[in-house]
mmCIF file of all heavy atoms in Angstrom:
data_model
loop_
_atom_site.group_PDB
_atom_site.id
_atom_site.type_symbol
_atom_site.label_atom_id
_atom_site.label_comp_id
_atom_site.label_asym_id
_atom_site.label_seq_id
_atom_site.Cartn_x
_atom_site.Cartn_y
_atom_site.Cartn_z
ATOM 1 N N PRO A 239 0.811 -1.233 0.000
ATOM 2 C CA PRO A 239 0.000 0.000 0.000
ATOM 3 C C PRO A 239 0.842 1.280 0.000
ATOM 4 O O PRO A 239 0.483 2.255 -0.660
ATOM 5 C CB PRO A 239 -0.823 -0.123 1.286
ATOM 6 C CG PRO A 239 -0.951 -1.602 1.505
ATOM 7 C CD PRO A 239 0.362 -2.179 1.027
ATOM 8 N N GLU A 240 1.988 1.267 0.692
ATOM 9 C CA GLU A 240 2.830 2.468 0.763
ATOM 10 C C GLU A 240 3.339 2.906 -0.602
ATOM 11 O O GLU A 240 3.601 4.084 -0.822
ATOM 12 C CB GLU A 240 4.037 2.222 1.677
ATOM 13 C CG GLU A 240 3.716 1.820 3.088
ATOM 14 C CD GLU A 240 3.346 0.339 3.240
ATOM 15 O OE1 GLU A 240 4.092 -0.554 2.791
ATOM 16 O OE2 GLU A 240 2.265 0.091 3.804
ATOM 17 N N LEU A 241 3.496 1.959 -1.512
ATOM 18 C CA LEU A 241 3.972 2.284 -2.857
ATOM 19 C C LEU A 241 3.049 3.287 -3.545
ATOM 20 O O LEU A 241 3.491 4.122 -4.324
ATOM 21 C CB LEU A 241 4.074 1.002 -3.701
ATOM 22 C CG LEU A 241 4.551 1.153 -5.142
ATOM 23 C CD1 LEU A 241 6.012 1.598 -5.193
ATOM 24 C CD2 LEU A 241 4.382 -0.167 -5.885
ATOM 25 N N PHE A 242 1.768 3.227 -3.219
ATOM 26 C CA PHE A 242 0.761 4.052 -3.901
ATOM 27 C C PHE A 242 0.394 5.330 -3.150
ATOM 28 O O PHE A 242 -0.516 6.041 -3.561
ATOM 29 C CB PHE A 242 -0.498 3.204 -4.139
ATOM 30 C CG PHE A 242 -0.240 2.032 -5.030
ATOM 31 C CD1 PHE A 242 0.102 0.796 -4.492
ATOM 32 C CD2 PHE A 242 -0.284 2.160 -6.406
ATOM 33 C CE1 PHE A 242 0.365 -0.291 -5.308
ATOM 34 C CE2 PHE A 242 -0.011 1.077 -7.238
ATOM 35 C CZ PHE A 242 0.308 -0.143 -6.680
ATOM 36 N N GLN A 243 1.092 5.648 -2.077
ATOM 37 C CA GLN A 243 0.688 6.792 -1.257
ATOM 38 C C GLN A 243 0.774 8.142 -1.972
ATOM 39 O O GLN A 243 0.074 9.082 -1.603
ATOM 40 C CB GLN A 243 1.442 6.825 0.071
ATOM 41 C CG GLN A 243 2.917 7.097 -0.028
ATOM 42 C CD GLN A 243 3.601 6.960 1.319
ATOM 43 O OE1 GLN A 243 2.980 6.597 2.310
ATOM 44 N NE2 GLN A 243 4.881 7.250 1.351
ATOM 45 N N HIS A 244 1.587 8.241 -3.016
ATOM 46 C CA HIS A 244 1.697 9.495 -3.776
ATOM 47 C C HIS A 244 1.152 9.351 -5.194
ATOM 48 O O HIS A 244 1.378 10.216 -6.045
ATOM 49 C CB HIS A 244 3.151 9.973 -3.828
ATOM 50 C CG HIS A 244 3.726 10.238 -2.480
ATOM 51 N ND1 HIS A 244 3.377 11.334 -1.727
ATOM 52 C CD2 HIS A 244 4.598 9.520 -1.732
ATOM 53 C CE1 HIS A 244 4.018 11.295 -0.582
ATOM 54 N NE2 HIS A 244 4.763 10.210 -0.558
ATOM 55 N N PHE A 245 0.431 8.258 -5.438
ATOM 56 C CA PHE A 245 -0.147 8.005 -6.744
ATOM 57 C C PHE A 245 -1.587 8.520 -6.745
ATOM 58 O O PHE A 245 -2.373 8.172 -5.872
ATOM 59 C CB PHE A 245 -0.130 6.504 -7.066
ATOM 60 C CG PHE A 245 -0.564 6.202 -8.463
ATOM 61 C CD1 PHE A 245 0.341 6.255 -9.504
ATOM 62 C CD2 PHE A 245 -1.887 5.918 -8.741
ATOM 63 C CE1 PHE A 245 -0.063 6.006 -10.807
ATOM 64 C CE2 PHE A 245 -2.299 5.664 -10.037
ATOM 65 C CZ PHE A 245 -1.379 5.713 -11.074
ATOM 66 N N ILE A 246 -1.942 9.344 -7.748
ATOM 67 C CA ILE A 246 -3.277 9.948 -7.823
ATOM 68 C C ILE A 246 -4.009 9.370 -9.031
ATOM 69 O O ILE A 246 -3.747 9.741 -10.168
ATOM 70 C CB ILE A 246 -3.180 11.486 -7.938
ATOM 71 C CG1 ILE A 246 -2.311 12.056 -6.810
ATOM 72 C CG2 ILE A 246 -4.577 12.100 -7.921
ATOM 73 C CD1 ILE A 246 -1.861 13.483 -7.057
ATOM 74 N N ARG A 247 -4.931 8.461 -8.790
ATOM 75 C CA ARG A 247 -5.681 7.816 -9.868
ATOM 76 C C ARG A 247 -6.741 8.741 -10.472
ATOM 77 O O ARG A 247 -7.180 8.558 -11.588
ATOM 78 C CB ARG A 247 -6.343 6.525 -9.340
ATOM 79 C CG ARG A 247 -7.346 5.900 -10.302
ATOM 80 C CD ARG A 247 -6.697 5.527 -11.639
ATOM 81 N NE ARG A 247 -7.665 5.089 -12.620
ATOM 82 C CZ ARG A 247 -8.155 5.843 -13.596
ATOM 83 N NH1 ARG A 247 -7.783 7.108 -13.715
ATOM 84 N NH2 ARG A 247 -9.014 5.355 -14.463
ATOM 85 N N HIS A 248 -7.173 9.707 -9.764
ATOM 86 C CA HIS A 248 -8.282 10.593 -10.098
ATOM 87 C C HIS A 248 -8.354 10.943 -11.584
ATOM 88 O O HIS A 248 -7.363 11.327 -12.200
ATOM 89 C CB HIS A 248 -8.121 11.875 -9.273
ATOM 90 C CG HIS A 248 -9.284 12.789 -9.335
ATOM 91 N ND1 HIS A 248 -9.315 13.884 -10.157
ATOM 92 C CD2 HIS A 248 -10.466 12.766 -8.686
ATOM 93 C CE1 HIS A 248 -10.464 14.510 -9.997
ATOM 94 N NE2 HIS A 248 -11.181 13.853 -9.117
ATOM 95 N N GLN A 249 -9.544 10.773 -12.171
ATOM 96 C CA GLN A 249 -9.783 11.151 -13.561
ATOM 97 C C GLN A 249 -11.214 11.661 -13.694
ATOM 98 O O GLN A 249 -12.161 10.950 -13.369
ATOM 99 C CB GLN A 249 -9.577 9.946 -14.488
ATOM 100 C CG GLN A 249 -9.776 10.264 -15.962
ATOM 101 C CD GLN A 249 -9.524 9.048 -16.855
ATOM 102 O OE1 GLN A 249 -9.184 7.972 -16.388
ATOM 103 N NE2 GLN A 249 -9.695 9.245 -18.149
ATOM 104 N N VAL A 250 -11.343 12.889 -14.149
ATOM 105 C CA VAL A 250 -12.664 13.466 -14.414
ATOM 106 C C VAL A 250 -13.023 13.112 -15.852
ATOM 107 O O VAL A 250 -12.314 13.486 -16.790
ATOM 108 C CB VAL A 250 -12.666 14.996 -14.207
ATOM 109 C CG1 VAL A 250 -14.027 15.579 -14.566
ATOM 110 C CG2 VAL A 250 -12.292 15.334 -12.768
ATOM 111 N N VAL A 251 -14.109 12.385 -16.015
ATOM 112 C CA VAL A 251 -14.544 11.927 -17.328
ATOM 113 C C VAL A 251 -15.822 12.666 -17.699
ATOM 114 O O VAL A 251 -16.741 12.768 -16.880
ATOM 115 C CB VAL A 251 -14.803 10.396 -17.311
ATOM 116 C CG1 VAL A 251 -15.335 9.925 -18.649
ATOM 117 C CG2 VAL A 251 -13.539 9.653 -16.918
ATOM 118 N N THR A 252 -15.876 13.194 -18.912
ATOM 119 C CA THR A 252 -17.101 13.855 -19.374
ATOM 120 C C THR A 252 -17.722 13.123 -20.563
ATOM 121 O O THR A 252 -18.936 13.017 -20.653
ATOM 122 C CB THR A 252 -16.835 15.325 -19.771
ATOM 123 O OG1 THR A 252 -15.822 15.363 -20.770
ATOM 124 C CG2 THR A 252 -16.406 16.146 -18.552
ATOM 125 N N LYS A 253 -16.884 12.615 -21.451
ATOM 126 C CA LYS A 253 -17.389 11.944 -22.659
ATOM 127 C C LYS A 253 -16.713 10.585 -22.816
ATOM 128 O O LYS A 253 -15.526 10.437 -22.554
ATOM 129 C CB LYS A 253 -17.140 12.798 -23.896
ATOM 130 C CG LYS A 253 -17.902 14.117 -23.874
ATOM 131 C CD LYS A 253 -17.730 14.872 -25.171
ATOM 132 C CE LYS A 253 -18.488 16.171 -25.153
ATOM 133 N NZ LYS A 253 -19.921 16.008 -25.113
ATOM 134 N N CYS A 254 -17.504 9.613 -23.283
ATOM 135 C CA CYS A 254 -17.008 8.249 -23.479
ATOM 136 C C CYS A 254 -17.470 7.710 -24.822
ATOM 137 O O CYS A 254 -18.492 8.133 -25.358
ATOM 138 C CB CYS A 254 -17.548 7.323 -22.387
ATOM 139 S SG CYS A 254 -16.859 7.639 -20.761
ATOM 140 N N TRP A 255 -16.713 6.764 -25.319
ATOM 141 C CA TRP A 255 -17.096 6.031 -26.516
ATOM 142 C C TRP A 255 -18.076 4.928 -26.126
ATOM 143 O O TRP A 255 -17.886 4.243 -25.126
ATOM 144 C CB TRP A 255 -15.878 5.415 -27.194
ATOM 145 C CG TRP A 255 -15.062 6.427 -27.931
ATOM 146 C CD1 TRP A 255 -13.967 7.091 -27.479
ATOM 147 C CD2 TRP A 255 -15.298 6.890 -29.261
ATOM 148 N NE1 TRP A 255 -13.504 7.952 -28.436
ATOM 149 C CE2 TRP A 255 -14.312 7.850 -29.557
ATOM 150 C CE3 TRP A 255 -16.250 6.593 -30.232
ATOM 151 C CZ2 TRP A 255 -14.231 8.501 -30.767
ATOM 152 C CZ3 TRP A 255 -16.180 7.253 -31.449
ATOM 153 C CH2 TRP A 255 -15.174 8.190 -31.709
ATOM 154 N N ARG A 256 -19.137 4.781 -26.918
ATOM 155 C CA ARG A 256 -20.134 3.730 -26.699
ATOM 156 C C ARG A 256 -20.488 3.107 -28.040
ATOM 157 O O ARG A 256 -20.552 3.800 -29.058
ATOM 158 C CB ARG A 256 -21.409 4.283 -26.053
ATOM 159 C CG ARG A 256 -21.222 4.860 -24.656
ATOM 160 C CD ARG A 256 -20.980 3.744 -23.648
ATOM 161 N NE ARG A 256 -20.958 4.241 -22.283
ATOM 162 C CZ ARG A 256 -19.859 4.424 -21.568
ATOM 163 N NH1 ARG A 256 -18.681 4.160 -22.092
ATOM 164 N NH2 ARG A 256 -19.930 4.872 -20.340
ATOM 165 N N PHE A 257 -20.718 1.798 -28.020
ATOM 166 C CA PHE A 257 -21.111 1.083 -29.231
ATOM 167 C C PHE A 257 -22.629 0.974 -29.238
ATOM 168 O O PHE A 257 -23.213 0.272 -28.418
ATOM 169 C CB PHE A 257 -20.463 -0.307 -29.273
ATOM 170 C CG PHE A 257 -20.560 -0.963 -30.610
ATOM 171 C CD1 PHE A 257 -19.804 -0.510 -31.676
ATOM 172 C CD2 PHE A 257 -21.416 -2.032 -30.807
ATOM 173 C CE1 PHE A 257 -19.889 -1.118 -32.922
ATOM 174 C CE2 PHE A 257 -21.515 -2.645 -32.046
ATOM 175 C CZ PHE A 257 -20.738 -2.185 -33.107
ATOM 176 N N GLU A 258 -23.261 1.704 -30.139
ATOM 177 C CA GLU A 258 -24.727 1.714 -30.240
ATOM 178 C C GLU A 258 -25.131 1.658 -31.712
ATOM 179 O O GLU A 258 -24.515 2.318 -32.550
ATOM 180 C CB GLU A 258 -25.307 2.971 -29.595
ATOM 181 C CG GLU A 258 -25.115 3.024 -28.093
ATOM 182 C CD GLU A 258 -25.747 4.251 -27.457
ATOM 183 O OE1 GLU A 258 -26.419 5.043 -28.162
ATOM 184 O OE2 GLU A 258 -25.565 4.434 -26.242
ATOM 185 N N ASP A 259 -26.154 0.904 -31.992
ATOM 186 C CA ASP A 259 -26.672 0.769 -33.361
ATOM 187 C C ASP A 259 -25.569 0.412 -34.353
ATOM 188 O O ASP A 259 -25.448 1.002 -35.430
ATOM 189 C CB ASP A 259 -27.401 2.053 -33.804
ATOM 190 C CG ASP A 259 -28.599 2.370 -32.923
ATOM 191 O OD1 ASP A 259 -29.293 1.416 -32.505
ATOM 192 O OD2 ASP A 259 -28.822 3.564 -32.641
ATOM 193 N N ASN A 260 -24.728 -0.532 -33.949
ATOM 194 C CA ASN A 260 -23.650 -1.051 -34.795
ATOM 195 C C ASN A 260 -22.581 -0.035 -35.173
ATOM 196 O O ASN A 260 -21.936 -0.169 -36.211
ATOM 197 C CB ASN A 260 -24.205 -1.698 -36.066
ATOM 198 C CG ASN A 260 -24.487 -3.162 -35.868
ATOM 199 O OD1 ASN A 260 -24.032 -3.759 -34.899
ATOM 200 N ND2 ASN A 260 -25.241 -3.732 -36.780
ATOM 201 N N LYS A 261 -22.392 0.997 -34.343
ATOM 202 C CA LYS A 261 -21.309 1.953 -34.611
ATOM 203 C C LYS A 261 -20.837 2.574 -33.300
ATOM 204 O O LYS A 261 -21.565 2.604 -32.302
ATOM 205 C CB LYS A 261 -21.762 3.034 -35.592
ATOM 206 C CG LYS A 261 -22.880 3.902 -35.069
ATOM 207 C CD LYS A 261 -23.326 4.913 -36.107
ATOM 208 C CE LYS A 261 -24.494 5.685 -35.518
ATOM 209 N NZ LYS A 261 -25.311 6.350 -36.470
ATOM 210 N N TRP A 262 -19.604 3.062 -33.325
ATOM 211 C CA TRP A 262 -19.018 3.736 -32.170
ATOM 212 C C TRP A 262 -19.373 5.212 -32.208
ATOM 213 O O TRP A 262 -19.207 5.865 -33.251
ATOM 214 C CB TRP A 262 -17.500 3.563 -32.164
ATOM 215 C CG TRP A 262 -17.086 2.181 -31.781
ATOM 216 C CD1 TRP A 262 -16.723 1.170 -32.611
ATOM 217 C CD2 TRP A 262 -17.030 1.654 -30.463
ATOM 218 N NE1 TRP A 262 -16.437 0.043 -31.883
ATOM 219 C CE2 TRP A 262 -16.613 0.310 -30.570
ATOM 220 C CE3 TRP A 262 -17.290 2.185 -29.195
ATOM 221 C CZ2 TRP A 262 -16.447 -0.506 -29.447
ATOM 222 C CZ3 TRP A 262 -17.120 1.367 -28.091
ATOM 223 C CH2 TRP A 262 -16.710 0.040 -28.221
ATOM 224 N N ILE A 263 -19.877 5.732 -31.096
ATOM 225 C CA ILE A 263 -20.218 7.153 -30.989
ATOM 226 C C ILE A 263 -19.692 7.691 -29.657
ATOM 227 O O ILE A 263 -19.467 6.931 -28.717
ATOM 228 C CB ILE A 263 -21.748 7.387 -31.085
ATOM 229 C CG1 ILE A 263 -22.482 6.637 -29.966
ATOM 230 C CG2 ILE A 263 -22.272 6.982 -32.453
ATOM 231 C CD1 ILE A 263 -23.952 7.002 -29.834
ATOM 232 N N VAL A 264 -19.508 8.989 -29.597
ATOM 233 C CA VAL A 264 -19.114 9.647 -28.351
ATOM 234 C C VAL A 264 -20.383 10.154 -27.681
ATOM 235 O O VAL A 264 -21.213 10.805 -28.315
ATOM 236 C CB VAL A 264 -18.140 10.819 -28.624
ATOM 237 C CG1 VAL A 264 -17.845 11.580 -27.344
ATOM 238 C CG2 VAL A 264 -16.851 10.299 -29.258
ATOM 239 N N LYS A 265 -20.513 9.828 -26.398
ATOM 240 C CA LYS A 265 -21.691 10.240 -25.632
ATOM 241 C C LYS A 265 -21.264 10.941 -24.353
ATOM 242 O O LYS A 265 -20.193 10.660 -23.815
ATOM 243 C CB LYS A 265 -22.534 9.012 -25.246
ATOM 244 C CG LYS A 265 -23.187 8.321 -26.419
ATOM 245 C CD LYS A 265 -24.157 7.285 -25.947
ATOM 246 C CE LYS A 265 -25.425 7.967 -25.464
ATOM 247 N NZ LYS A 265 -26.547 7.071 -25.272
ATOM 248 N N ASP A 266 -22.120 11.831 -23.874
ATOM 249 C CA ASP A 266 -21.902 12.413 -22.554
ATOM 250 C C ASP A 266 -22.079 11.303 -21.521
ATOM 251 O O ASP A 266 -23.086 10.590 -21.529
ATOM 252 C CB ASP A 266 -22.907 13.526 -22.278
ATOM 253 C CG ASP A 266 -22.653 14.765 -23.112
ATOM 254 O OD1 ASP A 266 -21.480 15.035 -23.436
ATOM 255 O OD2 ASP A 266 -23.615 15.469 -23.441
ATOM 256 N N ALA A 267 -21.096 11.145 -20.670
ATOM 257 C CA ALA A 267 -21.148 10.122 -19.624
ATOM 258 C C ALA A 267 -20.295 10.598 -18.451
ATOM 259 O O ALA A 267 -19.280 9.999 -18.114
ATOM 260 C CB ALA A 267 -20.641 8.795 -20.155
ATOM 261 N N PRO A 268 -20.696 11.714 -17.834
ATOM 262 C CA PRO A 268 -19.836 12.308 -16.800
ATOM 263 C C PRO A 268 -19.771 11.480 -15.513
ATOM 264 O O PRO A 268 -20.788 11.003 -15.014
ATOM 265 C CB PRO A 268 -20.489 13.663 -16.554
ATOM 266 C CG PRO A 268 -21.906 13.501 -16.968
ATOM 267 C CD PRO A 268 -21.919 12.472 -18.045
ATOM 268 N N PHE A 269 -18.554 11.307 -15.042
ATOM 269 C CA PHE A 269 -18.313 10.693 -13.738
ATOM 270 C C PHE A 269 -16.861 10.948 -13.346
ATOM 271 O O PHE A 269 -16.058 11.400 -14.160
ATOM 272 C CB PHE A 269 -18.627 9.191 -13.747
ATOM 273 C CG PHE A 269 -17.726 8.356 -14.609
ATOM 274 C CD1 PHE A 269 -16.648 7.681 -14.069
ATOM 275 C CD2 PHE A 269 -17.960 8.227 -15.972
ATOM 276 C CE1 PHE A 269 -15.823 6.898 -14.865
ATOM 277 C CE2 PHE A 269 -17.142 7.448 -16.775
ATOM 278 C CZ PHE A 269 -16.062 6.781 -16.208
ATOM 279 N N ILE A 270 -16.548 10.665 -12.112
ATOM 280 C CA ILE A 270 -15.179 10.782 -11.627
ATOM 281 C C ILE A 270 -14.684 9.379 -11.319
ATOM 282 O O ILE A 270 -15.315 8.637 -10.569
ATOM 283 C CB ILE A 270 -15.088 11.689 -10.386
ATOM 284 C CG1 ILE A 270 -15.487 13.110 -10.773
ATOM 285 C CG2 ILE A 270 -13.673 11.647 -9.799
ATOM 286 C CD1 ILE A 270 -15.555 14.080 -9.621
ATOM 287 N N ASP A 271 -13.568 9.024 -11.936
ATOM 288 C CA ASP A 271 -12.968 7.716 -11.714
ATOM 289 C C ASP A 271 -11.851 7.877 -10.691
ATOM 290 O O ASP A 271 -10.955 8.700 -10.873
ATOM 291 C CB ASP A 271 -12.420 7.170 -13.032
ATOM 292 C CG ASP A 271 -12.241 5.667 -13.013
ATOM 293 O OD1 ASP A 271 -12.451 5.045 -11.954
ATOM 294 O OD2 ASP A 271 -11.894 5.117 -14.065
ATOM 295 N N ASP A 272 -11.947 7.139 -9.635
ATOM 296 C CA ASP A 272 -10.951 7.193 -8.576
ATOM 297 C C ASP A 272 -10.937 5.839 -7.891
ATOM 298 O O ASP A 272 -11.865 5.055 -8.048
ATOM 299 C CB ASP A 272 -11.297 8.299 -7.573
ATOM 300 C CG ASP A 272 -10.062 8.941 -6.975
ATOM 301 O OD1 ASP A 272 -8.974 8.343 -7.019
ATOM 302 O OD2 ASP A 272 -10.195 10.052 -6.433
ATOM 303 N N TRP A 273 -9.901 5.562 -7.146
ATOM 304 C CA TRP A 273 -9.805 4.296 -6.431
ATOM 305 C C TRP A 273 -9.941 4.529 -4.945
ATOM 306 O O TRP A 273 -9.379 5.482 -4.395
ATOM 307 C CB TRP A 273 -8.463 3.626 -6.700
ATOM 308 C CG TRP A 273 -8.296 3.093 -8.079
ATOM 309 C CD1 TRP A 273 -9.268 2.705 -8.946
ATOM 310 C CD2 TRP A 273 -7.060 2.881 -8.755
ATOM 311 N NE1 TRP A 273 -8.717 2.253 -10.116
ATOM 312 C CE2 TRP A 273 -7.359 2.349 -10.020
ATOM 313 C CE3 TRP A 273 -5.735 3.077 -8.411
ATOM 314 C CZ2 TRP A 273 -6.376 2.023 -10.950
ATOM 315 C CZ3 TRP A 273 -4.756 2.745 -9.327
ATOM 316 C CH2 TRP A 273 -5.079 2.225 -10.580
ATOM 317 N N ASN A 274 -10.666 3.627 -4.292
ATOM 318 C CA ASN A 274 -10.761 3.663 -2.837
ATOM 319 C C ASN A 274 -9.810 2.610 -2.261
ATOM 320 O O ASN A 274 -9.096 1.916 -2.992
ATOM 321 C CB ASN A 274 -12.213 3.440 -2.381
ATOM 322 C CG ASN A 274 -12.775 2.106 -2.828
ATOM 323 O OD1 ASN A 274 -12.050 1.111 -2.911
ATOM 324 N ND2 ASN A 274 -14.067 2.073 -3.113
ATOM 325 N N GLU A 275 -9.825 2.474 -0.949
ATOM 326 C CA GLU A 275 -8.908 1.548 -0.282
ATOM 327 C C GLU A 275 -9.094 0.107 -0.767
ATOM 328 O O GLU A 275 -8.130 -0.614 -0.979
ATOM 329 C CB GLU A 275 -9.121 1.628 1.234
ATOM 330 C CG GLU A 275 -8.094 0.864 2.028
ATOM 331 C CD GLU A 275 -8.261 1.040 3.525
ATOM 332 O OE1 GLU A 275 -8.747 2.094 3.963
ATOM 333 O OE2 GLU A 275 -7.898 0.098 4.250
ATOM 334 N N GLU A 276 -10.325 -0.297 -0.965
ATOM 335 C CA GLU A 276 -10.597 -1.653 -1.443
ATOM 336 C C GLU A 276 -10.063 -1.862 -2.865
ATOM 337 O O GLU A 276 -9.527 -2.925 -3.189
ATOM 338 C CB GLU A 276 -12.100 -1.938 -1.387
ATOM 339 C CG GLU A 276 -12.447 -3.395 -1.503
ATOM 340 C CD GLU A 276 -11.825 -4.271 -0.421
ATOM 341 O OE1 GLU A 276 -11.739 -3.841 0.748
ATOM 342 O OE2 GLU A 276 -11.417 -5.394 -0.757
ATOM 343 N N ASP A 277 -10.207 -0.827 -3.706
ATOM 344 C CA ASP A 277 -9.671 -0.911 -5.070
ATOM 345 C C ASP A 277 -8.148 -1.101 -5.048
ATOM 346 O O ASP A 277 -7.606 -1.880 -5.831
ATOM 347 C CB ASP A 277 -10.012 0.350 -5.867
ATOM 348 C CG ASP A 277 -11.494 0.508 -6.117
ATOM 349 O OD1 ASP A 277 -12.194 -0.510 -6.274
ATOM 350 O OD2 ASP A 277 -11.957 1.670 -6.150
ATOM 351 N N TYR A 278 -7.470 -0.377 -4.147
ATOM 352 C CA TYR A 278 -6.019 -0.523 -4.048
ATOM 353 C C TYR A 278 -5.638 -1.921 -3.557
ATOM 354 O O TYR A 278 -4.674 -2.514 -4.038
ATOM 355 C CB TYR A 278 -5.410 0.546 -3.140
ATOM 356 C CG TYR A 278 -5.172 1.853 -3.860
ATOM 357 C CD1 TYR A 278 -5.999 2.947 -3.660
ATOM 358 C CD2 TYR A 278 -4.110 1.994 -4.759
ATOM 359 C CE1 TYR A 278 -5.789 4.139 -4.336
ATOM 360 C CE2 TYR A 278 -3.890 3.181 -5.437
ATOM 361 C CZ TYR A 278 -4.727 4.259 -5.222
ATOM 362 O OH TYR A 278 -4.518 5.434 -5.890
ATOM 363 N N LYS A 279 -6.389 -2.475 -2.611
ATOM 364 C CA LYS A 279 -6.115 -3.834 -2.132
ATOM 365 C C LYS A 279 -6.234 -4.835 -3.282
ATOM 366 O O LYS A 279 -5.392 -5.726 -3.434
ATOM 367 C CB LYS A 279 -7.088 -4.215 -1.012
ATOM 368 C CG LYS A 279 -6.761 -3.591 0.308
ATOM 369 C CD LYS A 279 -7.773 -4.047 1.368
ATOM 370 C CE LYS A 279 -7.528 -3.337 2.667
ATOM 371 N NZ LYS A 279 -8.548 -3.678 3.682
ATOM 372 N N THR A 280 -7.275 -4.682 -4.084
ATOM 373 C CA THR A 280 -7.464 -5.567 -5.238
ATOM 374 C C THR A 280 -6.323 -5.388 -6.234
ATOM 375 O O THR A 280 -5.768 -6.371 -6.743
ATOM 376 C CB THR A 280 -8.821 -5.290 -5.907
ATOM 377 O OG1 THR A 280 -9.857 -5.520 -4.949
ATOM 378 C CG2 THR A 280 -9.038 -6.163 -7.127
ATOM 379 N N LEU A 281 -5.961 -4.144 -6.525
ATOM 380 C CA LEU A 281 -4.865 -3.856 -7.446
ATOM 381 C C LEU A 281 -3.569 -4.499 -6.970
ATOM 382 O O LEU A 281 -2.868 -5.151 -7.755
ATOM 383 C CB LEU A 281 -4.681 -2.342 -7.599
ATOM 384 C CG LEU A 281 -3.475 -1.902 -8.413
ATOM 385 C CD1 LEU A 281 -3.633 -2.294 -9.869
ATOM 386 C CD2 LEU A 281 -3.266 -0.403 -8.266
ATOM 387 N N ILE A 282 -3.253 -4.336 -5.699
ATOM 388 C CA ILE A 282 -2.018 -4.893 -5.141
ATOM 389 C C ILE A 282 -2.011 -6.407 -5.297
ATOM 390 O O ILE A 282 -1.012 -6.996 -5.720
ATOM 391 C CB ILE A 282 -1.861 -4.447 -3.670
ATOM 392 C CG1 ILE A 282 -1.497 -2.951 -3.624
ATOM 393 C CG2 ILE A 282 -0.818 -5.301 -2.940
ATOM 394 C CD1 ILE A 282 -1.647 -2.315 -2.262
ATOM 395 N N SER A 283 -3.115 -7.040 -4.982
ATOM 396 C CA SER A 283 -3.219 -8.492 -5.124
ATOM 397 C C SER A 283 -3.017 -8.911 -6.587
ATOM 398 O O SER A 283 -2.286 -9.874 -6.876
ATOM 399 C CB SER A 283 -4.578 -8.958 -4.608
ATOM 400 O OG SER A 283 -4.760 -10.325 -4.842
ATOM 401 N N CYS A 284 -3.650 -8.204 -7.499
ATOM 402 C CA CYS A 284 -3.537 -8.528 -8.927
ATOM 403 C C CYS A 284 -2.112 -8.334 -9.441
ATOM 404 O O CYS A 284 -1.595 -9.189 -10.171
ATOM 405 C CB CYS A 284 -4.511 -7.694 -9.744
ATOM 406 S SG CYS A 284 -6.229 -8.157 -9.498
#
């Protein structure tokens, strides 16, 4: 866990690619991607 103490996963996402009606399109899909303590435990194990 100490290895990641200065690592910032944070990513603000506003638009994403989605496959709809047999083609790739960009859609609004706002969210914030970040890791919590459990995510880091899983990452370390992996």
